[in-house]
Amino acid sequence: MKNFKKVLALALALSMILSTMTTAFAANANDDKAVVLNQLGLFKGTSTTEFVPDLDKATDAAQALVLIGRALGWEVDAAATVTFTDVPDYAVPYVAYAVEKGITNGVSETEFGTAVISGKRMVTWFLAAAGYDKAAVWADTETYATETGMTVPAGTLRDDVVAVIYAGLMVKPVGSETTIVEDLVAADPTLEDAAVAAGLVDATPEVLEVVSVTAKNLKEVEVVFNKAVDKADAEKEANYKVFNGGASTDLLGAGTAVLQEDGVTVLLTLGTSFNNGTTGKVEVSNLLPAKYSNDSVAVSDSTIPTVVGIEVTGPQTFTVEYSEPITNLDAAEYTVDAGNYIVTSAVANGSKKVDVTVGVNFADGEHTVKFNASNVTDYAGYKVVPMTKAFTVAADAIAPTVTIKSVTPKQVKLVFDKPVKNVSDANVKYRHTFNNDTYSYAGDTADVDTNTAGNQPFITKVSSTEYTLDFSQKPIALGSNVLYIGYASASGTKVEDLWGNDLAEAALPLSVELDTVKPAVTNVEFVDSQTMKVTFTEEVDATTSQVASNYTVKDSAGDKVAVNTATLGGDDSNVVTLVFAADALTGGNYTVEVKNVKDIAFVPNTMDAYSTALAITDKVRPTVKATTWAATGAAAADYAVKLYVPFSEAMDVSTLVKSNFIVTVSDSNGAQAARALGSNDSITIAGDAKSVELKVDNPEDRPITGVALTVGAVKDVAGNGFAGIVSVSTTDFAIAADSVAVEKVEAIGTKKLKVTYSGRLSTVSATGYSLALDGDGSAVAMNMSVTSHTVNSSNKSEVEFSLGTALTEAAETTGSLDLVVNDATGTKSYLGTKVDNIASATTADANDILDKIAPTVASVVYTNATTITVTFNESIEADTIASTLNGFSIANGGVLDSVAITGGADATTIVLTAVNGTDKAFIQDVTTVSYNSVAGLTDVAGNAVASFTDKIAD
């Protein structure tokens, strides 16, 4: 059942299989089955020019074995000989194989017996070849045939033989989970169409999918796909993530992914174990068209581990294999020959094996090891049942061998056929491409980059039979190559097995393929209000993946949420953690864009730009922001206080009730008892539900001098309560006297100002506002009026003022002009306090008018035959002029040679110089100058020059 392709190739090479030549195609009961067997390469017929099954002819024993051997994929040797004189040449390999395996013996030492074979013998041979006990099948052929879906034909014609072979295709050989025909198709996929058409197998799915995910124990997860998976892709640990339920730490970590022999099952061995009796989560990405996620993987381990086998691996060492991963290794676990051999160490060899070493060499012969159930357990804490097992020691004189498990330009994984030592000895040389020191490392190289301490050592031991070589500083070229393993000195230390057999110098052929697959984002995950995680399909470059500007996050309003840091995380070499300001992600719909990230391929691949929409559930607890109060009322009957209580976000209005606000009023007699708002108090909720105004009465009819506030079980619209709130507990907030002031002034147009205030306003007007020159305070005539009033996300008012006279782009440079506020009675805080006055000053402060006006072009003219002057209405920042053309171009024949600011300092004029020979007369009156804003020109305040196209004036 091993080398199917070899068998099928041999079978197809044979020109004639059964009986004599004939051209007749007589009608028989199993003609259709004969055609299918022919299509599967199992039945050739009796003609070399067309398919002639001759099913009405008799079948002899040799012909029967040929058919059985083909169906079961025997690894026959075409050069094999047998002493039987009556076996035709084409059948010799199959008869020899059958005799060797004990399926048949022949009728004598020289005669096999080519008489017509009975149906009973045919079925017995077939099932015996499939691993069933021949004597048992012969004794009760009908029962075995029924159990395996076969029938015992009464006749012995080729028609009957076809029926037996066809039914036998659906038999599962002993110990196999797949049928014979499934094995044939797996070995040669070109047979699939015929097998599918006949209904013998299901068609291979076109799209790869995960069929099932099973936690075998606390350390192993079995992932089954619906069809064969590429081995290299299937064994990339980065394609899998495993989590305990509700957790975000990947348990696979430094674990392994190994494709099993069936080609569809991947066994994951976790770096960190599951929690027993829980539900885990498994994710599979990159392998599939879309990410697979299963968050209901049952995790339950109540099975006691068992000892699978014992293998003698050295004169003082044997290896114990367990049924599942084990931990808590302890030499006291093992007692050898009732203590006559002292166990000196028990060392892990992978996850399921333990290398046990005794103090002296074993004597040849049988020995015993007692498992004491002392410390060694599985990851659920279960110990092996105490037992004693025997093993036999015989000297091993066979040299170890080595093969290549996998190869990339930077890494080679080696697998030895038995435990070895001295792999990292200085005398051992590992070379590629040339068998010299051009691309060579000694086995003891501590750091593959000799210029940087602390890098990866050249050799990493995975187990006593597997090692990884790091050629990252001497990469292997693409294509066919050779890895040489040799020795600096023939008399020096060599790689050897534990018996002392040396590994011979080796030249291992290898082939390195160029990785052209671009990394891609498979998942963007919201972690908390300050954190996101971006998962890529593969390991990504530590430089490009940690550039914060490669990640753009926008909220539902299209505003960017600044990414503070991007960190490639620990064992998760394909996961980048984005960190934002505290509580920056408050919930809602976000857009996440990722670009420019590269993988770690020998020739790095850059990802295609990625964008996704992410709906985030609001998990951010609300907070109470700066609360202010103001006394109101002058008469004894109206002594009261107003409180303005702003929240960090919109609140659930149903929770903004009197019982959730506890006040303590202070007057001339001191603090009164704390109380909830009563019938003489009131709550006014703002339209956006981001604040409330509380009016609190003083029942003692004395002027109020202060107030303390406790806010109770108030929630935001997503149902989040205040941090620390439990049941009806409360949180206290400091209160300040009410005030409001100008916080920032921006010129957003030549005739428009935007003023941001320190809090929320109740009313606003242009009364009391004026402009003045900074320094001397000279008034600047300006007819101001209010255009709009909005409240920003920080609960601060933003007011736009229209100006009667336009500002010049050069005149409103930062600090040159001030906004003056003098008794602006029409602008009041939410509680009615007038805005603070602010005068012109000589130093930068809140009333300086900040330049937010984009520079514009004043003129574009010729200065001579090869230069053009572009003049702006304000100075351009010289540092934004680069050595390139900065996005400028000339239409209709002009070719630019250079772009420069006049004099090399900040100035309003840029000179474009055309290539020598450009004729002014030729392009006069028809040439235009264009500028693309991606070039990044700005004014001295950082405002970008917009794209433009202007006709050149003479």
Side-chain angles (χ1 to χ4, degrees), residues 865-878:
T866 58
T867 60
I868 300 166
T869 300
V870 181
T871 302
F872 291 88
N873 287 315
E874 62 177 309
S875 295
I876 298 301
E877 172 62 54

Side-chain angles (χ1 to χ4, degrees), residues 874-924:
E874 62 177 309
S875 295
I876 298 301
E877 172 62 54
D879 291 342
T880 62
I881 289 286
S883 58
T884 63
L885 300 183
N886 285 285
F888 284 96
S889 60
I890 301 178
N892 299 329
V895 180
L896 288 179
D897 182 56
S898 65
V899 177
I901 287 183
T902 302
D906 300 342
T908 60
T909 302
I910 290 179
V911 177
L912 313 179
T913 302
V915 174
N916 289 338
T918 300
D919 186 357
K920 172 183 175 182
F922 172 71
I923 58 177
Q924 180 175 309

Side-chain angles (χ1 to χ4, degrees), residues 539-585:
E539 186 172 352
V540 289
D541 166 58
T543 299
T544 59
S545 67
Q546 297 189 107
V547 176
S549 60
N550 285 340
Y551 307 86
T552 302
V553 179
K554 297 179 181 178
D555 61 20
S556 57
D559 295 328
K560 289 185 179 181
V561 183
V563 178
N564 288 349
T565 60
T567 305
L568 185 63
D571 294 332
D572 298 330
S573 54
N574 63 329
V575 177
V576 173
T577 300
L578 306 182
V579 176
F580 306 81
D583 293 339
L585 307 175

